[in-house]
Amino acid sequence: MMQFRDMIIHTDLDRLHLLRLIRTKKIIYAGNLKLKIYGTLRCKSGKRMKIGNRVFFESEREALKNGFRPCGHCLKEKYKVWKNGII
């Protein structure tokens, strides 16, 4: 499993390992590596992204540390804060 600055790359995981990480709360957020957007695992937008672009995070702090911004769909309030430059 390849990790880079607390990111877990989707293509480095098999299905059972991924499910185990979600179940044990080692993965809570997913992000799009190309667009630098992160959101919840249940986000409809996130579910449509290509697996090759998908990374996972254990916390929002990790996503932000890696330069990702909140999703405008599933994290609306956090996105508004980010958009207004308050972060």
Side-chain angles (χ1 to χ4, degrees), residues 2-35:
M2 185 172 104
Q3 291 188 4
F4 179 74
R5 295 190 63 194
D6 304 315
M7 282 191 293
I8 300 169
I9 310 296
H10 191 163
T11 55
D12 290 346
L13 303 174
D14 63 49
R15 182 171 166 72
L16 290 177
H17 192 188
L18 174 61
L19 293 173
R20 189 175 319 120
L21 290 172
I22 292 170
R23 207 171 30 250
T24 60
K25 305 286 189 221
K26 298 286 184 198
I27 289 176
I28 298 186
Y29 296 98
N32 186 310
L33 192 56
K34 288 191 178 193
L35 299 176

Short mmCIF file of all heavy atoms in Angstrom, two decimals, residues 2-35:
data_model
loop_
_atom_site.label_atom_id
_atom_site.label_comp_id
_atom_site.label_asym_id
_atom_site.label_seq_id
_atom_site.Cartn_x
_atom_site.Cartn_y
_atom_site.Cartn_z
N MET A 2 0.72 2.09 -1.01
CA MET A 2 1.50 3.30 -1.09
C MET A 2 0.80 4.43 -0.36
O MET A 2 -0.39 4.64 -0.53
CB MET A 2 1.68 3.68 -2.56
CG MET A 2 2.58 4.87 -2.75
SD MET A 2 2.93 5.12 -4.49
CE MET A 2 1.86 6.49 -4.83
N GLN A 3 1.53 5.14 0.47
CA GLN A 3 0.99 6.31 1.14
C GLN A 3 1.93 7.47 0.88
O GLN A 3 3.14 7.30 0.86
CB GLN A 3 0.87 6.08 2.64
CG GLN A 3 -0.18 5.08 3.00
CD GLN A 3 -0.41 5.04 4.50
OE1 GLN A 3 0.17 5.81 5.26
NE2 GLN A 3 -1.26 4.14 4.91
N PHE A 4 1.38 8.62 0.68
CA PHE A 4 2.17 9.82 0.47
C PHE A 4 1.57 10.92 1.31
O PHE A 4 0.44 11.32 1.08
CB PHE A 4 2.16 10.21 -1.01
CG PHE A 4 2.94 11.45 -1.29
CD1 PHE A 4 4.32 11.41 -1.29
CD2 PHE A 4 2.30 12.64 -1.54
CE1 PHE A 4 5.04 12.57 -1.56
CE2 PHE A 4 3.01 13.79 -1.79
CZ PHE A 4 4.39 13.75 -1.80
N ARG A 5 2.30 11.32 2.34
CA ARG A 5 1.82 12.37 3.23
C ARG A 5 0.41 12.07 3.73
O ARG A 5 -0.50 12.86 3.60
CB ARG A 5 1.87 13.73 2.56
CG ARG A 5 3.29 14.17 2.24
CD ARG A 5 3.36 15.59 1.80
NE ARG A 5 2.91 16.45 2.89
CZ ARG A 5 2.61 17.71 2.75
NH1 ARG A 5 2.69 18.27 1.58
NH2 ARG A 5 2.21 18.42 3.77
N ASP A 6 0.21 10.90 4.26
CA ASP A 6 -1.05 10.47 4.86
C ASP A 6 -2.16 10.19 3.86
O ASP A 6 -3.29 9.98 4.25
CB ASP A 6 -1.54 11.49 5.90
CG ASP A 6 -0.51 11.74 6.97
OD1 ASP A 6 0.08 10.76 7.46
OD2 ASP A 6 -0.28 12.90 7.32
N MET A 7 -1.87 10.20 2.57
CA MET A 7 -2.87 9.82 1.57
C MET A 7 -2.76 8.33 1.30
O MET A 7 -1.66 7.79 1.28
CB MET A 7 -2.63 10.55 0.24
CG MET A 7 -3.07 11.97 0.21
SD MET A 7 -3.06 12.66 -1.45
CE MET A 7 -1.33 12.70 -1.83
N ILE A 8 -3.89 7.70 1.09
CA ILE A 8 -3.92 6.30 0.71
C ILE A 8 -4.47 6.25 -0.71
O ILE A 8 -5.57 6.75 -0.97
CB ILE A 8 -4.80 5.48 1.66
CG1 ILE A 8 -4.26 5.59 3.09
CG2 ILE A 8 -4.87 4.03 1.20
CD1 ILE A 8 -5.19 5.03 4.14
N ILE A 9 -3.71 5.71 -1.63
CA ILE A 9 -4.09 5.66 -3.04
C ILE A 9 -5.04 4.48 -3.27
O ILE A 9 -4.73 3.35 -2.91
CB ILE A 9 -2.83 5.49 -3.94
CG1 ILE A 9 -1.75 6.52 -3.57
CG2 ILE A 9 -3.22 5.55 -5.41
CD1 ILE A 9 -2.12 7.95 -3.79
N HIS A 10 -6.19 4.75 -3.88
CA HIS A 10 -7.21 3.71 -4.09
C HIS A 10 -6.68 2.52 -4.89
O HIS A 10 -6.95 1.36 -4.55
CB HIS A 10 -8.44 4.31 -4.76
CG HIS A 10 -9.61 3.38 -4.78
ND1 HIS A 10 -10.88 3.81 -5.01
CD2 HIS A 10 -9.73 2.04 -4.59
CE1 HIS A 10 -11.72 2.79 -4.97
NE2 HIS A 10 -11.04 1.70 -4.72
N THR A 11 -5.94 2.78 -5.92
CA THR A 11 -5.48 1.69 -6.79
C THR A 11 -4.46 0.78 -6.09
O THR A 11 -4.17 -0.30 -6.59
CB THR A 11 -4.88 2.23 -8.10
OG1 THR A 11 -3.85 3.17 -7.78
CG2 THR A 11 -5.95 2.89 -8.95
N ASP A 12 -3.94 1.20 -4.94
CA ASP A 12 -3.00 0.37 -4.19
C ASP A 12 -3.71 -0.61 -3.25
O ASP A 12 -3.05 -1.41 -2.60
CB ASP A 12 -2.06 1.25 -3.34
CG ASP A 12 -1.08 2.03 -4.20
OD1 ASP A 12 -0.95 1.71 -5.40
OD2 ASP A 12 -0.45 2.95 -3.66
N LEU A 13 -5.03 -0.55 -3.18
CA LEU A 13 -5.80 -1.38 -2.25
C LEU A 13 -6.64 -2.41 -2.99
O LEU A 13 -7.22 -2.11 -4.03
CB LEU A 13 -6.74 -0.50 -1.43
CG LEU A 13 -6.14 0.62 -0.61
CD1 LEU A 13 -7.25 1.45 0.00
CD2 LEU A 13 -5.23 0.07 0.45
N ASP A 14 -6.75 -3.60 -2.42
CA ASP A 14 -7.75 -4.52 -2.93
C ASP A 14 -9.05 -4.24 -2.18
O ASP A 14 -9.07 -3.53 -1.19
CB ASP A 14 -7.31 -5.99 -2.79
CG ASP A 14 -7.11 -6.41 -1.35
OD1 ASP A 14 -8.00 -6.17 -0.51
OD2 ASP A 14 -6.06 -7.02 -1.05
N ARG A 15 -10.13 -4.78 -2.67
CA ARG A 15 -11.47 -4.48 -2.13
C ARG A 15 -11.59 -4.81 -0.64
O ARG A 15 -12.11 -4.01 0.13
CB ARG A 15 -12.53 -5.23 -2.92
CG ARG A 15 -13.94 -4.96 -2.48
CD ARG A 15 -14.95 -5.57 -3.45
NE ARG A 15 -16.28 -5.63 -2.92
CZ ARG A 15 -17.08 -4.59 -2.73
NH1 ARG A 15 -16.65 -3.38 -3.01
NH2 ARG A 15 -18.29 -4.74 -2.26
N LEU A 16 -11.09 -5.95 -0.21
CA LEU A 16 -11.21 -6.34 1.19
C LEU A 16 -10.40 -5.43 2.11
O LEU A 16 -10.86 -5.06 3.19
CB LEU A 16 -10.77 -7.80 1.38
CG LEU A 16 -11.71 -8.84 0.78
CD1 LEU A 16 -11.13 -10.24 0.96
CD2 LEU A 16 -13.09 -8.74 1.40
N HIS A 17 -9.21 -5.05 1.68
CA HIS A 17 -8.38 -4.14 2.48
C HIS A 17 -9.06 -2.78 2.59
O HIS A 17 -9.08 -2.16 3.66
CB HIS A 17 -7.00 -4.02 1.86
CG HIS A 17 -6.01 -3.34 2.75
ND1 HIS A 17 -4.78 -2.99 2.33
CD2 HIS A 17 -6.07 -2.95 4.05
CE1 HIS A 17 -4.12 -2.40 3.30
NE2 HIS A 17 -4.89 -2.37 4.36
N LEU A 18 -9.62 -2.29 1.49
CA LEU A 18 -10.34 -1.02 1.51
C LEU A 18 -11.50 -1.07 2.50
O LEU A 18 -11.66 -0.17 3.33
CB LEU A 18 -10.85 -0.68 0.11
CG LEU A 18 -11.73 0.55 -0.02
CD1 LEU A 18 -10.98 1.80 0.41
CD2 LEU A 18 -12.23 0.69 -1.44
N LEU A 19 -12.30 -2.11 2.44
CA LEU A 19 -13.44 -2.24 3.35
C LEU A 19 -12.99 -2.31 4.81
O LEU A 19 -13.61 -1.72 5.69
CB LEU A 19 -14.28 -3.46 2.99
CG LEU A 19 -15.01 -3.38 1.65
CD1 LEU A 19 -15.68 -4.70 1.31
CD2 LEU A 19 -16.01 -2.24 1.66
N ARG A 20 -11.89 -3.00 5.06
CA ARG A 20 -11.36 -3.09 6.42
C ARG A 20 -10.91 -1.71 6.93
O ARG A 20 -11.17 -1.35 8.07
CB ARG A 20 -10.19 -4.07 6.45
CG ARG A 20 -9.70 -4.41 7.83
CD ARG A 20 -8.60 -5.47 7.85
NE ARG A 20 -8.82 -6.56 6.93
CZ ARG A 20 -7.99 -6.89 5.92
NH1 ARG A 20 -6.88 -6.22 5.72
NH2 ARG A 20 -8.27 -7.89 5.11
N LEU A 21 -10.27 -0.93 6.07
CA LEU A 21 -9.83 0.41 6.46
C LEU A 21 -11.02 1.33 6.74
O LEU A 21 -10.97 2.16 7.65
CB LEU A 21 -8.92 1.01 5.39
CG LEU A 21 -7.55 0.36 5.26
CD1 LEU A 21 -6.82 0.91 4.03
CD2 LEU A 21 -6.72 0.57 6.51
N ILE A 22 -12.07 1.20 5.97
CA ILE A 22 -13.29 2.00 6.20
C ILE A 22 -13.95 1.58 7.50
O ILE A 22 -14.32 2.42 8.32
CB ILE A 22 -14.26 1.87 5.01
CG1 ILE A 22 -13.67 2.54 3.77
CG2 ILE A 22 -15.62 2.48 5.36
CD1 ILE A 22 -14.43 2.27 2.49
N ARG A 23 -14.06 0.29 7.72
CA ARG A 23 -14.71 -0.24 8.92
C ARG A 23 -13.96 0.16 10.19
O ARG A 23 -14.57 0.45 11.21
CB ARG A 23 -14.80 -1.76 8.82
CG ARG A 23 -15.91 -2.38 9.58
CD ARG A 23 -16.13 -3.87 9.32
NE ARG A 23 -14.96 -4.64 8.97
CZ ARG A 23 -14.71 -5.16 7.76
NH1 ARG A 23 -15.58 -5.00 6.78
NH2 ARG A 23 -13.63 -5.86 7.52
N THR A 24 -12.64 0.23 10.13
CA THR A 24 -11.84 0.58 11.31
C THR A 24 -11.56 2.08 11.40
O THR A 24 -10.75 2.51 12.21
CB THR A 24 -10.51 -0.20 11.30
OG1 THR A 24 -9.78 0.13 10.12
CG2 THR A 24 -10.73 -1.69 11.39
N LYS A 25 -12.23 2.87 10.55
CA LYS A 25 -12.13 4.34 10.55
C LYS A 25 -10.73 4.86 10.21
O LYS A 25 -10.36 5.97 10.57
CB LYS A 25 -12.55 4.92 11.90
CG LYS A 25 -13.93 4.50 12.35
CD LYS A 25 -14.99 5.20 11.58
CE LYS A 25 -16.33 4.92 12.22
NZ LYS A 25 -17.36 4.68 11.29
N LYS A 26 -9.95 4.06 9.48
CA LYS A 26 -8.66 4.53 8.97
C LYS A 26 -8.87 5.36 7.71
O LYS A 26 -7.99 6.07 7.27
CB LYS A 26 -7.73 3.35 8.66
CG LYS A 26 -7.39 2.52 9.85
CD LYS A 26 -6.42 3.22 10.74
CE LYS A 26 -6.03 2.29 11.88
NZ LYS A 26 -5.44 3.00 12.97
N ILE A 27 -10.05 5.20 7.10
CA ILE A 27 -10.45 6.00 5.94
C ILE A 27 -11.81 6.60 6.27
O ILE A 27 -12.75 5.89 6.56
CB ILE A 27 -10.57 5.13 4.67
CG1 ILE A 27 -9.19 4.69 4.20
CG2 ILE A 27 -11.30 5.87 3.57
CD1 ILE A 27 -9.22 3.76 3.00
N ILE A 28 -11.87 7.95 6.23
CA ILE A 28 -13.13 8.64 6.51
C ILE A 28 -13.51 9.57 5.35
O ILE A 28 -14.67 9.79 5.09
CB ILE A 28 -13.02 9.43 7.82
CG1 ILE A 28 -12.76 8.44 8.95
CG2 ILE A 28 -14.27 10.27 8.07
CD1 ILE A 28 -12.76 8.99 10.32
N TYR A 29 -12.51 10.08 4.64
CA TYR A 29 -12.74 11.00 3.53
C TYR A 29 -12.06 10.47 2.27
O TYR A 29 -11.06 9.78 2.34
CB TYR A 29 -12.18 12.39 3.85
CG TYR A 29 -12.88 13.03 5.00
CD1 TYR A 29 -12.35 12.99 6.28
CD2 TYR A 29 -14.09 13.68 4.82
CE1 TYR A 29 -13.01 13.56 7.35
CE2 TYR A 29 -14.76 14.26 5.89
CZ TYR A 29 -14.21 14.20 7.14
OH TYR A 29 -14.87 14.76 8.19
N ALA A 30 -12.63 10.84 1.12
CA ALA A 30 -12.03 10.51 -0.17
C ALA A 30 -11.73 11.80 -0.90
O ALA A 30 -12.42 12.81 -0.71
CB ALA A 30 -12.99 9.65 -0.99
N GLY A 31 -10.71 11.79 -1.72
CA GLY A 31 -10.35 12.98 -2.47
C GLY A 31 -10.04 12.65 -3.91
O GLY A 31 -9.72 11.51 -4.25
N ASN A 32 -10.14 13.67 -4.76
CA ASN A 32 -9.79 13.55 -6.16
C ASN A 32 -8.40 14.14 -6.33
O ASN A 32 -8.20 15.34 -6.14
CB ASN A 32 -10.80 14.30 -7.03
CG ASN A 32 -10.55 14.08 -8.50
OD1 ASN A 32 -9.44 14.25 -8.97
ND2 ASN A 32 -11.60 13.73 -9.22
N LEU A 33 -7.43 13.30 -6.64
CA LEU A 33 -6.04 13.70 -6.73
C LEU A 33 -5.80 14.78 -7.78
O LEU A 33 -5.00 15.69 -7.58
CB LEU A 33 -5.17 12.48 -7.02
CG LEU A 33 -3.67 12.63 -6.87
CD1 LEU A 33 -3.30 13.12 -5.48
CD2 LEU A 33 -2.98 11.31 -7.15
N LYS A 34 -6.51 14.72 -8.90
CA LYS A 34 -6.31 15.71 -9.97
C LYS A 34 -6.97 17.05 -9.64
O LYS A 34 -6.41 18.10 -9.91
CB LYS A 34 -6.83 15.17 -11.29
CG LYS A 34 -5.96 14.09 -11.86
CD LYS A 34 -6.33 13.76 -13.27
CE LYS A 34 -5.37 12.71 -13.78
NZ LYS A 34 -5.44 12.53 -15.19
N LEU A 35 -8.17 17.01 -9.07
CA LEU A 35 -8.90 18.25 -8.79
C LEU A 35 -8.58 18.82 -7.42
O LEU A 35 -8.94 19.96 -7.13
CB LEU A 35 -10.41 17.99 -8.89
CG LEU A 35 -10.91 17.53 -10.26
CD1 LEU A 35 -12.40 17.23 -10.20
CD2 LEU A 35 -10.61 18.58 -11.31
#
